[in-house]
């Protein structure tokens, strides 16, 4: 009897154990496990197929990045002459057109320099006229010297004739001196006349040589004077051209006191005030050409294998949101990564090295018409997507 009583609780416990799983057992019945595993496997396969199809037909056609920023070639406005700022006509954020006056410098010094240059040109022109007159005078003097040669030759001929007569007269008297037909005084007079005639002949010969030397010197002076003006006119003479160049320089300095915008754009970083003294080359302000901006998109190095110049790109800006799309094309790649051109380049040749995926800036040119309709500013964030299948 006691054995029957002891067996009943044990049976009851056994039935309870069959109703609830033992601790650590599965809550899924064996008959439901197989369909569940098959469904899970099919889901994994489906996800893998979808990912493969996306990468093959969609993902492999484009590369994108949100590490992109608007850039532009800003124009520095620098005065090309020194002076005091007399008037500033623009301020920061103001749109300007190419050729529009930005500011003026005091031009008193430049006007004085211009007046001096004009006077110098007039003086050079008159000096050229004086040079021509001197040439003519030297030419006339050379001609006169040439005529003096003939006169000196004629005098030399006369002196030689007188010498011949004196020689003949002295010869006859010397022959009669021994016979007593000629007195000693007459012979002495004849000898003196011969000496005088000889001296006159020598003087006449020297006069001819002097006349020829004078004529040669006058001709050389004429040639030297004509060398300064040969092949020139009052408009092409060297001294006149120099004066004209100085005048042009003075005019240019006066024009440069009025500083104009070099490009279309928006004024930024204005750094001058009225009354300030500025030197040549001082940066007075900058002009941002908002109609000629570009985007530097920093793609990862493993994204650039199929990127080529000329491929089309679609860009969006946080400034306008996803509703406004900008279209552009790849125009080039940077010469190195950002880390390569950093002030302190990364030193990878160390014992503890961790590979970091680098980014290379890609320049994307924007459509000017779209920029005109939706202006951007330098430094704005962009999202860029390049179509790898497109061609220029």
């Amino acid at each position: 009897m006691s054995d029957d009583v002891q067996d009943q609780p044990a049976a009851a416990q056994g039935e309870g154990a069959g109703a609830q799983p033992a601790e650590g057992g599965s809550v899924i019945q064996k008959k439901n496990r197989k369909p569940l595993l098959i469904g899970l496997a099919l889901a994994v396969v489906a996800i893998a197929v979808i990912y493969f199809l996306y990468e093959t037909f969609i993902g492999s056609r484009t590369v994108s990045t949100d590490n992109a920023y608007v850039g532009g070639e800003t124009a520095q406005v620098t005065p090309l002459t020194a002076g005091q700022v007399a008037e500033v006509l623009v301020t920061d954020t103001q749109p300007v057109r190419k050729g529009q006056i930005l500011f003026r410098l005091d031009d008193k010094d430049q006007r004085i320099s211009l007046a001096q240059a004009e006077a110098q040109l007039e003086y050079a022109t008159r000096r050229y006229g004086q040079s021509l007159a001197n040439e003519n005078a030297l030419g006339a003097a050379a001609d006169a010297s040439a005529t003096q040669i003939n006169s000196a030759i004629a005098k030399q001929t006369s002196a030689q004739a007188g010498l011949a007569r004196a020689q003949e007269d002295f010869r006859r008297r010397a022959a009669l001196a021994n016979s007593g037909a000629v007195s000693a005084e007459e012979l002495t007079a004849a000898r003196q006349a011969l000496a005088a005639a000889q001296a006159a002949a020598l003087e006449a010969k020297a006069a001819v040589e002097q006349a020829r030397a004078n004529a040669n010197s006058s001709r050389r002076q004429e040639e030297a004077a004509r060398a300064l003006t040969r092949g020139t006119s009052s408009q092409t003479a060297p001294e006149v051209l120099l004066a004209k160049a100085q005048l042009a320089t003075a005019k240019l300095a006066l024009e440069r006191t009025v500083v104009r915008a070099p490009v279309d754009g928006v004024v930024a970083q204005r750094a001058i005030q009225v009354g300030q003294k500025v030197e040549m080359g001082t940066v007075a302000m900058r002009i941002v050409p908002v109609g000629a901006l570009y985007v530097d998109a920093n793609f990862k190095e493993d994204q650039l294998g199929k990127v080529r110049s000329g491929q089309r790109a679609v860009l969006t800006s946080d400034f306008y949101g996803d509703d406004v799309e900008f279209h552009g094309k790849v125009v080039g790649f940077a010469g190195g990564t950002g880390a390569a051109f950093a002030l302190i380049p990364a030193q990878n040749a160390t014992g503890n090295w961790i590979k970091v995926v680098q980014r290379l800036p890609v320049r994307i040119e924007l459509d000017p018409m779209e920029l005109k309709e939706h202006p951007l500013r330098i430094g704005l964030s962009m999202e860029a997507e390049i179509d790898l299948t497109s061609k220029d």
Side-chain angles (χ1 to χ4, degrees):
M1 176 115 184
S2 60
D3 293 335
D4 295 337
V5 175
Q6 291 177 355
D7 292 338
Q8 289 179 357
Q13 292 176 1
E15 293 176 0
Q20 295 182 358
E23 184 179 357
S26 174
V27 298
I28 302 175
Q29 297 181 2
K30 290 184 177 180
K31 62 180 180 180
N32 295 330
R33 291 180 182 177
K34 186 175 181 179
L36 184 60
L37 291 175
I38 293 174
L40 181 60
L42 291 175
V44 171
V45 172
I47 292 173
V49 170
I50 292 173
Y51 179 78
F52 174 77
L53 294 175
Y54 175 81
E55 286 296 324
T56 302
F57 298 101
I58 299 177
S60 62
R61 297 169 62 91
T62 62
V63 290
S64 61
T65 182
D66 58 358
N67 188 350
Y69 304 93
V70 179
E73 303 296 339
T74 61
Q76 292 186 347
V77 179
T78 58
L80 299 180
T81 185
Q84 186 180 33
V85 179
E87 184 181 15
V88 182
L89 302 176
V90 296
T91 186
D92 283 339
T93 73
Q94 179 177 338
V96 294
R97 304 291 295 178
K98 182 178 180 179
Q100 180 177 337
I101 297 177
L102 302 177
F103 61 94
R104 291 187 176 91
L105 301 178
D106 183 63
D107 60 0
K108 294 184 180 65
D109 293 339
Q110 286 77 11
R111 290 188 180 278
I112 293 174
S113 298
L114 178 60
Q116 291 175 341
E118 289 174 344
Q120 186 65 30
L121 176 59
E122 181 65 21
Y123 177 73
T125 303
R126 297 197 177 198
R127 283 290 302 270
Y128 182 79
Q130 183 181 17
S131 296
L132 291 178
N134 288 338
E135 288 177 14
N136 295 331
L138 291 173
D143 294 339
S145 297
T147 60
Q148 290 177 358
I149 295 176
N150 296 328
S151 176
I153 292 175
K155 290 181 179 179
Q156 182 184 22
T157 302
S158 176
Q160 288 177 346
L163 175 60
R165 289 194 300 270
Q167 288 176 340
E168 181 63 23
D169 186 54
F170 176 74
R171 185 183 62 79
R172 288 197 305 268
R173 283 178 170 73
L176 297 174
N178 295 328
S179 61
V182 176
S183 63
E185 291 79 3
E186 290 180 356
L187 183 60
T188 301
R191 185 180 290 109
Q192 292 175 349
L194 175 60
Q198 290 174 342
L202 293 175
E203 183 178 0
K205 181 180 179 181
V208 171
E209 293 177 354
Q210 181 65 39
R212 287 175 176 170
N214 291 339
N216 186 53
S217 176
S218 298
R219 196 62 68 186
R220 294 292 181 271
Q221 291 177 359
E222 179 189 9
E223 292 176 358
R226 292 191 183 279
L228 296 175
T229 59
R230 185 179 294 113
T232 63
S233 65
S234 59
Q235 300 300 318
T236 60
E239 61 270 24
V240 175
L241 293 177
L242 177 60
K244 286 183 177 180
Q246 293 173 344
L247 178 60
T249 301
K251 287 181 178 180
L252 184 60
L254 180 61
E255 292 176 0
R256 285 175 173 173
T257 59
V258 178
V259 182
R260 302 177 182 272
V263 294
D264 297 342
V266 175
V267 177
Q269 296 182 330
R270 173 185 145 181
I272 59 170
Q273 302 294 336
V274 174
Q276 179 181 348
K277 176 66 181 297
V278 294
E279 299 297 333
M280 182 174 61
T282 302
V283 179
M285 62 186 70
R286 299 176 187 271
I287 305 295
V288 180
V290 294
L293 299 179
Y294 54 81
V295 170
D296 282 330
N298 303 299
F299 285 93
K300 295 179 181 179
E301 53 188 317
D302 55 6
Q303 293 180 297
L304 298 174
K306 296 182 180 180
V307 177
R308 301 289 185 270
S309 294
Q311 291 175 341
R312 291 189 296 271
V314 178
L315 306 100
T316 58
S317 169
D318 295 344
F319 190 74
Y320 293 106
D322 295 338
D323 295 336
V324 177
E325 289 186 346
F326 295 88
H327 299 83
K329 67 176 181 178
V330 178
V331 295
F333 303 83
T337 64
F341 294 114
L343 183 61
I344 303 178
Q347 296 295 328
N348 296 325
T350 59
N352 299 323
W353 174 76
I354 299 175
K355 180 178 179 179
V356 178
V357 177
Q358 301 297 315
R359 290 181 179 267
L360 185 71
V362 177
R363 179 67 56 85
I364 300 175
E365 185 181 66
L366 298 176
D367 186 350
M369 298 304 297
E370 294 180 348
L371 284 174
K372 185 176 181 180
E373 185 176 356
H374 297 93
L376 294 173
R377 295 295 184 269
I378 291 178
L380 291 179
S381 299
M382 302 287 287
E383 292 185 9
E385 184 179 83
I386 298 176
D387 184 357
L388 300 179
T389 63
S390 63
K391 295 182 180 180
D392 190 7

